[in-house]
Each structure stands twice: as structure tokens, then as C-alpha cells.
Amino acid sequence: MTEEFRPIEVVDVGRGDPTPPRPPRPPRELHGVLLTLIAVGVLVGAACAAFTAWTVYQTQQDQRVLYCTSFILSDGQGDTPSYDDMEDEQKRIVDQLDCDVPGR
């Protein structure tokens, strides 16, 4: 290598004129975004609460049917006992559950 001075060659890479840079995005309005997030959160919360309430209601209905069936078939013979033949405690529970018992 020699130590003599050589001018640097400038090379253009690519074709055509360079494209101008994109303008920066305008800043977002944070109040609109925050209100949207709050509205979505309220709707999701309401939907979850409604689903929970419906599930609890259905569970209570299923339990009522099971308890009524257990009191009606409590004699073990398959015969439906009459309301008058039940003990006071059984009558109270049957009344609270609103079971369909003959003689009630």
C-alpha cells in the first residue's frame, strides 16, 4: 500500500430520489383511550356478573329438585309419601323448598 492521497469515491446506492421521511404520528388523546378502556371494563364486568348470577340461579334450581326428590323418595319403597304422613321437620323443609307433595 502506498501512502499517497486518494480522493474518496461517493457511491449512490438504490434507485431514484430518496423518499422523504414519514411525518411523525400525532400524539394520541389519552382521555379518549382511557374512557374507551373504562367502558370496555364496565361491559366485561357486567357480563361476568350476569353470567355468575345465572349460574347461581341454575345451581339453586338443581339443588331444589334434588332435595325435593330426596324427601319424596325418603321412605325407600318408591311410594310417594303424603304430606300428612311426614314429620314436622320434613313438612317445614318441604314447605321451604316448595316441593310438589301429594296432600299439600
Side-chain angles (χ1 to χ4, degrees), residues 14-81:
R15 293 183 272 171
D17 296 332
T19 57
R22 291 183 183 173
R25 290 184 182 179
R28 291 185 180 180
E29 187 178 324
L30 293 179
H31 295 293
V33 173
L34 183 61
L35 288 175
T36 302
L37 288 175
I38 289 173
V40 168
V42 167
L43 290 175
V44 168
C48 290
F51 177 74
T52 301
W54 179 252
T55 304
V56 168
Y57 174 75
Q58 288 296 322
T59 303
Q60 287 176 349
Q61 294 299 319
D62 292 342
Q63 287 178 350
R64 184 180 86 66
V65 169
L66 287 173
Y67 290 147
C68 286
T69 304
S70 68
F71 278 111
I72 290 172
L73 300 177
S74 64
D75 64 352
Q77 298 173 358
D79 297 331
T80 305

Side-chain angles (χ1 to χ4, degrees), residues 71-72 74 81-88 90-91 94 101:
F71 278 111
I72 290 172
S74 64
S82 175
Y83 185 76
D84 297 330
D85 297 339
M86 292 183 175
E87 298 174 8
D88 291 338
Q90 287 179 333
K91 287 181 183 179
V94 166
V101 178

